[in-house]
Amino acid sequence: MTRGGGEWGYLVRRRGVGAAVFCLRSRVGLAGDTDRTRMVGLSIGEKRFIQGGIAQDLRSDGRKRLTYRPISVETGNIPQANGSARVKMGATDVIASVKAELGKPSPFQPDKGKVSIYVDCSPTAAPMFEGRGGDELSAELSAALQRCLLGGKSGAVNSSGLNDSGGGIDLSSLSIVEGKVCWDLYIDGLVVSSDGNLLDALGAAIKAALSNTGIPKVHVAASASSDGQPEVDVSDEEFLQFDTSGVPVVVTLTKVGRHYIVDATSEEESQMSSAISVSINRQGRICGLTKRGGAGLDPSVILDMISVAKHVSEQLMNKLDSEISAAEACEEES
């Protein structure tokens, strides 16, 4: 499967009950990986300092390998949207908004709504975002988030075979009249400032924006015929809170040398050989997985990275939920 500048392959083998080995390869990394390495412009000494610190579990900014930078969340930033949030991870700053519109379900999934995700990289966020570089990275981030948050279930048939039956954003909750009317969610992400780990930050912002999303209550006319298009009345006053209990967080493990780290900065990403992003929900279910970087990974290493990602996701989920609750409390007070 090819998406923009990246190409991923995967193989799923069953071993016993519920076990799976993911064998992934990548010939070209996420669009912008090469540009990022060139733009950071580290000296040989700086590269060795970063790699040596990671090897000793003491990174350049004082963090351990599996520690995130400070995370802050603001909600309700965009009044015109049904939900919005701004998330900062260190110097990485992103915004996500959710807009709900009435639509028609896909014929392949008549009992589900649809979700589309688009990311825009502001040219002022980083020099590599200027011109074509920003467009390519936007497309790759959008596709990666679609896979991580929806598992391929954006309203079309999921041909990947990964997690067909659960996890991710619940599309069935967006159905209004089966085969006739549904909610279409348009999720837009904006990269305001970039200092690494964009996928995790955008995933967190989308989860926070969905927590902030109110879906208008819909009344379906009882007199509507079974063959025709039903009449619906959308309320301007009553809203239903979107259920985010199954919405995952994205955890990216970046491999530098023999070790892998979470929440890599731009300088650390410039030294990576590969990275795996795993989306995991509150129930511990893997909702999606994607890889970038040119170096291949042994299946045993991938399984270990998934296990570590599950452990880290609990800490990230708890921190994010706490920040979202605090942000919503501040929004209500104001």
Side-chain angles (χ1 to χ4, degrees), residues 35-333:
D35 291 340
R36 183 183 298 113
T37 303
R38 183 171 63 248
M39 293 303 298
V40 170
L42 299 175
S43 67
I44 295 177
E46 289 171 322
K47 293 177 182 178
R48 289 176 178 171
F49 180 74
I50 292 171
Q51 295 167 3
I54 291 172
Q56 297 177 34
D57 200 16
L58 183 61
R59 294 156 72 175
S60 303
D61 54 9
R63 290 183 290 153
K64 293 184 177 295
R65 287 193 287 263
L66 301 181
T67 303
Y68 275 82
R69 291 170 291 182
I71 300 173
S72 65
V73 177
E74 299 175 11
T75 57
N77 311 77
I78 306 176
Q80 299 87 348
N82 292 87
S84 60
R86 183 171 191 167
V87 169
K88 296 180 182 179
M89 287 186 177
T92 293
D93 185 0
V94 299
I95 297 174
S97 67
V98 180
K99 189 69 176 176
E101 295 182 3
L102 291 177
K104 186 174 182 179
S106 163
F108 301 107
Q109 293 181 316
D111 60 338
K112 293 179 171 62
K114 293 175 290 183
V115 174
S116 62
I117 301 174
Y118 177 75
V119 176
D120 183 32
C121 297
S122 171
T124 60
M128 65 179 179
F129 293 168
E130 296 178 2
R132 183 173 172 80
D135 294 338
E136 291 178 350
L137 184 57
S138 294
E140 293 294 345
L141 286 169
S142 302
L145 286 167
Q146 194 93 1
R147 172 172 293 278
C148 285
L149 298 181
L150 300 171
K153 302 176 296 178
S154 59
V157 173
N158 179 6
S159 60
S160 69
L162 281 175
N163 193 27
D164 286 323
S165 60
I169 298 174
D170 182 15
L171 299 179
S172 61
S173 66
L174 300 175
S175 177
I176 299 173
V177 179
E178 184 172 340
K180 302 286 186 179
V181 185
C182 70
W183 283 112
D184 289 346
L185 294 188
Y186 297 93
I187 302 176
D188 292 302
L190 173 65
V191 178
V192 180
S193 178
S194 174
D195 186 25
N197 202 29
L198 287 176
L199 202 59
D200 293 24
L202 285 164
I206 290 173
K207 182 177 175 66
L210 288 171
S211 296
N212 184 246
T213 296
I215 304 293
K217 196 170 182 179
V218 177
H219 174 71
V220 182
S223 59
S225 63
S226 58
D227 297 331
Q229 191 71 7
E231 294 183 8
V232 295
D233 180 32
V234 181
S235 174
D236 293 329
E237 300 177 351
E238 296 182 271
F239 295 86
L240 302 175
Q241 193 71 24
F242 189 83
D243 181 15
T244 59
S245 59
V247 178
V249 293
V250 181
V251 176
T252 299
L253 290 174
T254 304
K255 195 169 188 293
V256 179
R258 294 185 301 171
H259 304 277
Y260 30 86
I261 59 176
V262 300
D263 192 20
T265 64
S266 293
E267 290 185 347
E268 291 171 333
E269 286 181 344
S270 73
Q271 303 307 301
M272 78 172 194
S273 57
S274 59
I276 281 186
S277 298
V278 187
S279 57
I280 305 166
N281 65 12
R282 175 63 74 180
Q283 293 73 36
R285 174 172 289 173
I286 297 174
C287 304
L289 186 150
T290 186
K291 174 187 177 294
R292 61 188 174 94
L297 290 172
D298 187 87
S300 62
V301 174
I302 294 175
L303 287 176
D304 184 49
M305 293 175 81
I306 290 174
S307 177
V308 172
K310 279 190 173 184
H311 172 71
V312 173
S313 70
E314 295 179 12
Q315 304 174 33
L316 177 59
M317 190 88 69
N318 291 335
K319 174 63 175 175
L320 189 59
D321 286 348
S322 174
E323 289 293 326
I324 291 173
S325 298
E328 290 177 344
C330 290
E331 185 183 357
E332 290 176 1
E333 291 177 1

